[in-house]
Amino acid sequence: MFALPDLPYAYNSLEPYIDEETMRIHHDKHHGAYVDNLNKLNTQNLGLEELLKSTDQKIINNLGGHLNHSFFWEVMSPNPNAPSGKVLEAINSTFESLEKFKEAFSEKAMTIFGSGWAFLIMSPDKKLSLKRHSFQNSPLMHGNIPILGIDVWEHAYYLKYQNRRADYIQAWWNVVNWTKVGENFIKGL
Ligand code: MN
């Protein structure tokens, strides 16, 4: 059985960048529904490794929804530190600078048509790159390790930002948990 993880901070603690009501609905209702559906669909009680290979679209949607959201809560923080260490070195060498990385990542997130995610991933050859994923497709289903990701489904921002996805993305940079991003990078090496 999969379980909905608690948010690692209070629902209102990402204010003013992400509002409390959005966080409550997003975590409790949206993520909660992915977990409930996944448990209902997983009638054979398969483990994560087997489920990641599933070609059943309903499993892909709900497993991806669970994995992506569990990841997403962790890469945000009410008290983020500035990027540093090995992940910053890798970002600088891959994207030239932190500013250029943020621009390229934001552009990926802006140009997803419809619902999906933008990810910074590490591929099996340990290289960093940016990916757009439609719906709840998870990097783990493609053998890649997610390092940072942003949810650009409208449910992630519509209450506060309505159609202004660019404003949401810009605000979101203020709550990126670079400590966790650094840990994700080190774990992937
Ligand atoms: Mn979402």
Side-chain angles (χ1 to χ4, degrees):
M1 291 284 281
F2 291 87
L4 178 64
D6 289 336
L7 267 190
Y9 35 74
Y11 292 102
N12 65 358
S13 63
L14 302 182
E15 296 262 12
Y17 308 110
I18 303 182
D19 61 291
E20 176 176 358
E21 191 183 9
T22 295
M23 289 302 290
R24 282 192 184 279
I25 296 171
H26 199 177
H27 176 271
D28 297 5
K29 306 295 183 189
H30 289 276
H31 189 175
Y34 295 123
V35 173
D36 289 346
N37 290 334
L38 177 61
N39 285 327
K40 279 182 204 148
L41 290 163
N42 189 16
T43 50
Q44 298 173 311
N45 211 15
L46 299 176
L48 181 60
E49 290 301 312
E50 285 163 284
L51 287 171
L52 281 171
K53 295 178 208 150
S54 177
T55 54
D56 178 337
Q57 192 60 49
K58 286 183 186 162
I59 297 260
I60 291 170
N61 292 344
N62 289 287
L63 175 65
H66 174 46
L67 295 173
N68 286 340
H69 286 87
S70 299
F71 173 80
F72 186 52
W73 312 134
E74 296 280 342
V75 293
M76 297 189 290
S77 166
N79 304 300
N81 291 320
S84 64
K86 292 218 179 302
V87 73
L88 182 60
E89 287 171 26
I91 283 172
N92 283 335
S93 69
T94 308
F95 301 95
E96 290 183 40
S97 69
L98 181 63
E99 279 318 300
K100 284 195 173 166
F101 161 71
K102 286 165 96 169
E103 276 171 33
F105 184 100
S106 297
E107 175 67 15
K108 279 277 182 216
M110 268 312 289
T111 52
I112 292 161
F113 186 74
S115 297
W117 295 72
F119 287 102
L120 173 69
I121 61 100
M122 185 187 288
S123 46
D125 60 1
K126 311 299 179 194
K127 296 254 189 341
L128 293 180
S129 62
L130 296 173
K131 300 281 181 199
R132 290 190 202 95
H133 281 219
S134 289
F135 308 113
Q136 293 297 355
N137 209 342
S138 160
L140 297 169
M141 293 166 183
H142 303 277
N144 295 322
I145 293 168
I147 306 295
L148 176 63
I150 184 172
D151 186 346
V152 293
W153 284 56
E154 285 185 346
H155 68 223
Y157 63 88
Y158 208 84
L159 290 178
K160 184 175 173 77
Y161 296 97
Q162 292 84 47
N163 59 319
R164 302 186 307 277
R165 186 191 285 186
D167 291 354
Y168 158 65
I169 295 167
Q170 196 181 7
W172 174 81
W173 286 111
N174 292 291
V175 294
V176 170
N177 182 353
W178 284 102
T179 305
K180 185 68 185 178
V181 174
E183 289 168 12
N184 292 340
F185 178 80
I186 297 288
K187 263 197 285 180
L189 290 176

